[in-house]
Amino acid sequence: MAKASGEACGGIPDVTRLEALGIVGAGGGGFPAAVKLRVKVPTVIVNGAECEPLLHKDKELLQHQAGPMLRGLDVAMALVGAREGVVGVKEKYRAVLEALGPQLRAGVRLLPLRDTYPAGDEFVLVHDATGRVIPPGGLPKDVGAVVLNVETLVNIGLGLPVTHKYLTVAGAVGEPVTLRVPVGMSIGEAIEAAGGPTEPNVAALLGGVMMGRLATGFDEPVTKTLGGIVVLPAAHKLVTWYKTGRRQVERIGKSACDQCRFCTELCPRYLLGHPIEPHKAMQALGFTGQAARLVAGTLYCCECNLCSLYSCPEDLDPKNVCTFGKPVARQAGLAWQGDPASVAPHPLGSARRVPMRRLMTRLGLNGFANVGPLADREFHPRRVVLPLKQHAGAAAVPRVAAGTRVTPGQVIAAPAPGALGATLHASIAGVVREVGEAIVIEA
């Protein structure tokens, strides 16, 4: 019998099918899954570390959607020809580990992870799972691995167009919770579903307190990559930090950095042997010309924010200084030229990992409930806003016009021919009201 269109032999969907479903990295990166799976590697790693404070989405999916996740893992392993699957989960989630263990087939194993930050960094996780170090500027495939987020694999296992997103709403809300909401629903509606703010003046960090960003307003839409909304009092120090502008970051850093090296000594990429030394980026603030070569290593900063929000005793901002230095380093052609085989982890790397408990204390988050149970709720928003670019690559090209009636799962935008991107689907039934940088649908 001929195989079904869009599927490989044995009923495994091919990458063309994954492209049509609009599946992207749901952990925040947004890289199209179909492109990531166009390689041949021996190992597929499931990133269930979820090391952002207060977020519980991946852990909840491992508890309640293990079946689709494991089917997605089977698909991913078949597509890349992997012999081994590794599911990384924090060891403190014993109930999850005990429930998952009996469901694993031969060739798939659990990897209990320490409760440290950033355990979910792709490079750190690959080293924990394989013992190999991805070279500076490299990708997991360079050491024989592909890394996929739990929700990404759930979407692959379900085999349906991506119209909904799982996310945790945490912090200063009445009921911290993990929800499944239509893509394009406002974050304000998600916050109300979590009991609403517990204080009159609040702000929201999207994606997490360490690697997220400050929401411009509660009317911002949920996207395919949003894994968490952390609501905080407007006066919280993290909100103040995210509001600080570049000029102030550089001015204060230039005048106050005493070159203690704590930012470097605790940097997770430095501890893997990468040429990244945040203290040198801080030092370079005071120099011009040839001395600017000190910023070369900033190209390999993973922007985890550990240096700025935990390591620095003076509350300076090495992470953003590194971020500012990246285009300077690229323009100067300062890419690392070493031998990948020479990259070796720091001998004290494991001992210098930052415990989540200490990180949350440093961030002032211990006063918030650190829970996020998955709630079984249906949402029927009257309006959704679907940005054409909510993934890595180029914005999708609209396939509908204002006035078009659409149904859930209908393609409303797709990548241009040959462009890196992702297909976009209607998340509710309704009428297209606007087509611009986003497609607006009203029920």
Side-chain angles (χ1 to χ4, degrees), residues 268-287:
R269 294 292 176 90
Y270 170 79
L271 294 174
L272 283 176
H274 282 208
I276 166 68
E277 297 177 277
H279 78 281
K280 288 188 176 180
M282 297 297 289
Q283 188 180 63
L285 287 174
F287 297 91

Side-chain angles (χ1 to χ4, degrees), residues 5 92 129 161 257 280 282 295 329 350 356 411:
S5 176
K92 69 177 182 179
C257 179
K280 288 188 176 180
M282 297 297 289
V295 303
S350 179
M356 183 61 70
V411 174

Side-chain angles (χ1 to χ4, degrees), residues 50-56 59-60 90 92-93 115 168-171 176-177 356-357 360 365-373:
E50 195 164 38
C51 55
E52 279 278 358
L54 300 178
L55 300 192
H56 293 266
K59 178 258 291 180
E60 292 297 311
K90 286 190 175 178
K92 69 177 182 179
Y93 296 134
D115 191 21
T168 298
V169 186
V177 68
M356 183 61 70
R357 173 180 52 82
M360 288 186 63
L365 298 176
N366 285 336
F368 303 111
N370 190 14
V371 296

